[in-house]
Amino acid sequence: MGGTGERVGDLGEFGLIARLIRGLPQAPAVALGPGDDAAVVAAPDGRVVATADLLVEGRHFRRDWSGPADIGHKAAAQNLADVVAMGARPTALLVGLALPPETPAAWVEELYAGLAAECAAAGASIVGGDVVGADAVTLAITALGDLGGAPPLTRSGARPGDVVAVRGALGCSAAGLALLERGASGPAELLAAHRRPRPPYAAGAEARAAGATALIDVSDGLVRDLGHVAAASGVRVEIDTAALPVPAVLGADGVRHVLTGGEDHGFAAAFPPGRVPAAWTAVGRVAAGAGVLVDGRPYEGGGWDHFPRRPR
Amino acid sequence: MGGTGERVGDLGEFGLIARLIRGLPQAPAVALGPGDDAAVVAAPDGRVVATADLLVEGRHFRRDWSGPADIGHKAAAQNLADVVAMGARPTALLVGLALPPETPAAWVEELYAGLAAECAAAGASIVGGDVVGADAVTLAITALGDLGGAPPLTRSGARPGDVVAVRGALGCSAAGLALLERGASGPAELLAAHRRPRPPYAAGAEARAAGATALIDVSDGLVRDLGHVAAASGVRVEIDTAALPVPAVLGADGVRHVLTGGEDHGFAAAFPPGRVPAAWTAVGRVAAGAGVLVDGRPYEGGGWDHFPRRPR
């Protein structure tokens, strides 16, 4: 990267932006990329899918635990996964960066390279954004997508009798975070899963092709996110722990991490019986009722809340 | 508002989001509003205009200088104005909020009410977003819009011989900020201009109807923003200070504030000769060359940079 000890405060807002957007690849869907008041992105479906997330240093990432490219990959991935969770194809990302003026310019360039590479992996382009000064590094990511003429796959269509299935890693990111919090150094695959999750972006198209009735990105934890599906669909979701895909590397805490860990950005869906695609794993069923049961009982193991309720 | 001393940390992420999105009006363009992994917004043009900004407490607003509704209005306005500056009609806003857990819930509800009211004034709806914990209040706003079948109005189409014209207030927000920084209490209209700018949202449609060749939102200051037009179009822009609309209330510093003040979110455009719409004020011309001349000379009065270059 170009930095030779330069800080973002040395470059100025316009100098930094010019450096970041230089050479950004632009997919054919981008009618007008960075550099004007706004971008223009193709929305051939006549509708656009849009989602936005904030990531704050010290809460969503730590610069001593993750490199800048990792942070960029992860920030893009969690937003691109939300677009895929609607059954849509990601098209574009807008990137807002709040940066302390003393942040090394090379760190920001590597962050941006990670964002751009993750976008490319999902078929999307960075089309715009903003850079401002702040005391803490904060990323504000917006992802856009196209539904290709199909109805959106929401959380609200699950019906009693459907099969519940999952796709992609579950629990590995949470296990990696637990290792980092304890100061432990391995297993490397868990640390990597926390630093740079790999959402299976094909999941949206697979779910749509198989006639899924509901689809969600597992970002708050499997039990919690299936709770969102249960509430939105007016149904009960039943999970069988014996059916869960629990990687051996997770060890004794494996089931708990798979039920509560969210940041792998795998997917959960409901399918009509007999329609679960090959790459998915059936883990339970939809029934009449409310809430989520794990092996027939309510689960009290929790999940992720950005503002945990305080005891009073 | 509902707050009775509650803090956002008491409500939890999901409780706060549920309260904020309750009763949000949704315009017909919103196919799917808040509550799923992503929103779905109509893009009848087959393209979508998208822009994003970050606003950080202490840098872009102060809670002791502006009320929460003001901050919401202003954050929405600056993004909606960027959509209008492409000649587009705003359709939707995504709102990311980073909040200290001790922030009063009522403060956030009033902020959100301001965002929603400004959206409504521009014909758009809040369709989604995110809420996370942080040490400083930060707003991450994304605005979307529709071009209605027309080409985007960019910064790059100005041609020698065009007339340069402006629309909306210029300089009043900067003068209001200067008053607040000095601890002065009036004139009230300048303080109001800083706290709650009123972009003339009709400017985009007016400029398009009149065949404007370039359009920009004045956010960094008139000289600086016309500098962006000059650079993107490969032309020189010449401003006549005698033609500038300088409100009497600006007093002795009026011309400087009009040339350098940005946050009123007025608009500047280039029009073919004889095509300046009635609501606009001609302030200069486009010529062959480069840069911006004010009364025939380069202007050294500056403008807004979020990372001012440090002396070395």
Side-chain angles (χ1 to χ4, degrees):
Chain A
M1 312 299 301
T4 53
E6 281 174 310
R7 310 279 156 171
V8 300
D10 301 324
L11 293 172
E13 177 191 1
F14 299 111
L16 180 62
I17 291 173
R19 187 177 290 192
L20 293 177
I21 67 180
R22 192 171 53 198
L24 268 186
Q26 298 290 313
V30 181
L32 185 67
D36 218 291
D37 290 293
V40 183
V41 180
D45 175 86
R47 299 165 295 176
V48 63
V49 172
T51 182
D53 274 337
L54 277 166
L55 294 91
V56 180
E57 178 174 20
R59 295 184 184 248
H60 303 98
F61 61 87
R62 281 176 52 161
R63 280 194 264 177
D64 53 338
W65 285 357
S66 297
D70 292 330
I71 295 167
H73 272 277
K74 183 171 182 164
Q78 76 177 58
N79 283 276
L80 296 164
D82 277 331
V83 168
V84 168
M86 304 305 289
R89 181 180 56 83
T91 52
L93 215 68
L94 293 104
V95 177
L97 297 178
L99 301 168
E102 65 273 18
T103 310
W107 190 92
V108 184
E109 290 180 90
E110 288 178 35
L111 172 81
Y112 224 75
L115 287 159
E118 190 69 26
C119 270
S125 309
I126 298 176
V127 298
D130 191 20
V131 176
V132 302
D135 292 329
V137 175
T138 302
L139 284 74
I141 311 289
T142 299
L144 306 179
D146 188 74
L147 284 161
L153 271 172
T154 68
R155 305 172 174 189
S156 61
R159 299 167 302 198
D162 284 346
V163 179
V164 173
V166 297
R167 173 81 156 89
L170 295 171
C172 294
S173 173
L177 178 60
L179 286 171
L180 289 166
E181 286 173 339
R182 289 204 309 271
S185 61
E189 70 186 274
L190 297 181
L191 301 179
H194 171 70
R195 292 186 174 123
R196 197 179 291 199
R198 300 175 67 94
Y201 293 119
E206 292 166 0
R208 185 200 286 179
T213 57
L215 178 60
I216 193 168
D217 160 46
V218 181
S219 53
D220 296 321
L222 183 61
V223 171
R224 191 157 213 162
D225 284 314
L226 286 174
H228 299 323
V229 171
S233 298
V235 297
R236 185 167 78 199
V237 171
E238 301 177 349
I239 303 172
D240 304 324
T241 56
L244 291 175
V246 183
V249 68
L250 290 179
D253 271 347
V255 170
R256 182 176 64 82
H257 280 311
V258 168
L259 288 171
T260 62
E263 294 204 308
D264 300 283
H265 300 290
F267 297 89
F271 294 96
R275 298 291 303 276
V276 178
W280 293 64
T281 305
V283 300
R285 70 204 66 78
V286 179
V292 177
L293 297 185
V294 176
D295 295 338
R297 292 185 299 274
Y299 186 77
E300 300 296 340
W304 179 256
D305 188 331
H306 294 297
F307 287 113
R309 267 178 211 75
R310 295 179 299 195
R312 304 202 231 191
Chain B
M1 310 299 301
T4 54
E6 282 175 310
R7 309 278 155 170
V8 300
D10 301 324
L11 293 172
E13 177 190 0
F14 298 113
L16 179 61
I17 290 173
R19 186 177 290 191
L20 293 177
I21 68 180
R22 192 170 55 198
L24 269 186
Q26 298 290 315
V30 181
L32 184 68
D36 218 290
D37 290 293
V40 183
V41 180
D45 175 86
R47 298 165 295 175
V48 63
V49 172
T51 181
D53 273 338
L54 277 166
L55 294 92
V56 180
E57 179 174 18
R59 294 181 186 251
H60 303 98
F61 61 88
R62 282 177 53 163
R63 281 194 264 177
D64 55 338
W65 284 358
S66 296
D70 293 329
I71 295 167
H73 272 277
K74 183 171 183 165
Q78 76 177 56
N79 283 275
L80 296 163
D82 277 332
V83 169
V84 168
M86 304 304 290
R89 181 181 55 83
T91 54
L93 215 68
L94 292 104
V95 177
L97 296 177
L99 300 168
E102 65 273 17
T103 311
W107 190 92
V108 184
E109 290 179 90
E110 288 177 35
L111 172 81
Y112 224 74
L115 286 160
E118 190 68 27
C119 270
S125 308
I126 298 177
V127 298
D130 191 20
V131 177
V132 301
D135 292 329
V137 176
T138 303
L139 285 73
I141 311 289
T142 300
L144 305 179
D146 189 74
L147 285 161
L153 271 173
T154 67
R155 305 173 174 187
S156 60
R159 298 168 302 199
D162 285 346
V163 179
V164 173
V166 298
R167 173 81 157 89
L170 296 171
C172 294
S173 173
L177 177 60
L179 286 171
L180 289 166
E181 286 172 340
R182 289 204 309 270
S185 61
E189 70 187 277
L190 297 182
L191 302 177
H194 172 70
R195 292 186 175 121
R196 198 179 290 198
R198 301 175 66 94
Y201 294 119
E206 292 166 359
R208 185 200 285 179
T213 55
L215 179 60
I216 193 167
D217 159 47
V218 181
S219 54
D220 296 321
L222 183 61
V223 172
R224 191 157 213 162
D225 284 314
L226 286 174
H228 299 323
V229 171
S233 298
V235 298
R236 185 167 77 199
V237 171
E238 301 177 348
I239 303 173
D240 303 324
T241 57
L244 291 174
V246 182
V249 68
L250 290 180
D253 271 347
V255 169
R256 183 176 63 84
H257 281 310
V258 168
L259 288 172
T260 62
E263 295 205 307
D264 300 281
H265 299 291
F267 297 89
F271 294 95
R275 298 291 303 274
V276 177
W280 293 65
T281 303
V283 300
R285 70 204 65 78
V286 178
V292 177
L293 297 185
V294 176
D295 295 338
R297 292 185 297 274
Y299 186 76
E300 300 296 339
W304 178 256
D305 188 330
H306 294 297
F307 288 113
R309 269 179 208 75
R310 294 179 299 194
R312 304 203 230 190

